[in-house]
Amino acid sequence: MGWCRDRYPPLRVLVADDSVLLREGLVRVLVEAGHEVVGAFPNADLLLERLVDLAPDLVVLDVRMPPTFRDEGVRAAIRARQLLPGVGILLLSQYVEVAYAQDLLSSGTGGIGYLLKDRVASLDELKDAIERIASGGTVLDPEVVAQLIGRRHDPLERLTPRESEVITLMAEGRTNAAIAAQLVIGTGAVEKNVTSIFQKLGLDDSGSDHRRVLAVLAWLQR
């Protein structure tokens, strides 16, 4: 999988959303970002039927689609990973639905994103998310992260204000370098904060960006 424009070749993308306006708008944004939309479908079943033949690099799915408007997109994403193990997954939702994010992340593999639909209105937000997914990373909407962190107390209360900022960005799938740039501090300072966070939460740092996100989320959800 690769990125678009000058840095990487464009991605082949499949889209599924039951709303014609939202589907066409998403296609337009993806094309504007430099990607090739090889298929756009009104439901998850049609997307899965064509998945293997069209061989996309990335699949973008609405969480709720016909017939039940509950979790069709999540189940289709899991099935897509079974059919094409290397395909990137980006789930879009109108609302924060933490349980669906947990289902999507349960496979333990990277190249996965879960964003609120409002984020795709910003080309920069979408490009950043797809870049990280295409690189095998995990992208969680900040609102999802905020809800997960808001559920926890105890050891989280021991974190310094800076460590709280760092863990929030970690849970969004940011690398140490990206966190340093966001907070305008050195990478070494981020590494010290990460080490302190893992010590306070009783977690082992595996060294893998995706696995450390899963570790943080697993602790927050328990």
Side-chain angles (χ1 to χ4, degrees):
M1 250 186 291
W3 182 228
C4 63
R5 301 292 189 190
D6 298 331
R7 295 175 56 190
Y8 303 98
L11 300 179
R12 292 170 53 84
V13 185
L14 285 185
V15 174
D17 194 306
D18 61 288
S19 166
V20 175
L21 290 177
L22 289 175
R23 187 169 67 247
E24 291 182 352
L26 186 57
V27 169
R28 198 158 49 243
V29 171
L30 286 164
V31 170
E32 186 178 346
H35 300 294
E36 179 186 5
V37 178
V38 295
F41 305 97
N43 60 64
D45 288 341
L46 289 175
L47 180 144
L48 289 174
E49 286 178 11
R50 300 297 312 280
L51 181 75
V52 175
D53 289 339
L54 294 173
D57 301 304
L58 176 72
V59 174
V60 182
L61 297 141
D62 186 7
V63 167
R64 298 186 177 191
M65 287 185 285
T68 70
F69 294 94
R70 295 179 60 188
D71 62 349
E72 282 79 8
V74 180
R75 289 188 282 108
I78 294 170
R79 180 57 179 158
R81 270 295 175 85
Q82 294 170 345
L83 295 171
L84 287 179
V87 70
I89 301 291
L90 175 56
L91 274 181
L92 301 176
S93 178
Q94 192 70 37
Y95 310 101
V96 175
E97 296 166 302
V98 173
Y100 294 151
Q102 293 171 326
D103 290 343
L104 185 64
L105 292 164
S106 64
S107 65
T109 57
I112 290 172
Y114 182 97
L115 295 177
L116 293 181
K117 287 186 175 180
D118 289 346
R119 305 289 174 193
V120 302
S122 165
L123 183 59
D124 288 340
E125 289 267 8
L126 182 65
K127 289 172 68 174
D128 177 67
I130 294 177
E131 180 174 14
R132 286 189 280 148
I133 293 169
S135 299
T138 302
V139 179
L140 284 182
D141 195 281
E143 291 295 327
V144 175
V145 175
Q147 286 206 17
L148 288 170
I149 290 178
R151 294 179 174 185
R152 298 296 302 172
H153 301 289
D154 305 328
L156 280 178
E157 294 178 348
R158 297 166 51 201
L159 301 183
T160 66
R162 177 63 80 190
E163 288 168 352
S164 296
E165 291 177 323
V166 170
I167 192 176
T168 297
L169 293 170
M170 285 171 59
E172 289 176 19
R174 307 284 179 174
T175 64
N176 285 355
I179 293 172
Q182 179 78 17
L183 300 179
V184 195
I185 59 177
T187 303
V190 174
E191 292 172 352
K192 290 180 180 178
N193 279 285
V194 170
T195 298
S196 177
I197 289 167
F198 278 113
Q199 289 175 344
K200 291 178 180 179
L201 299 187
L203 296 170
D204 293 327
D205 187 354
S206 68
S208 164
D209 289 326
H210 178 70
R211 289 181 180 176
R212 75 178 189 167
V213 169
L214 292 180
V216 170
L217 291 175
W219 189 90
L220 293 171
Q221 294 162 12
R222 71 184 183 182

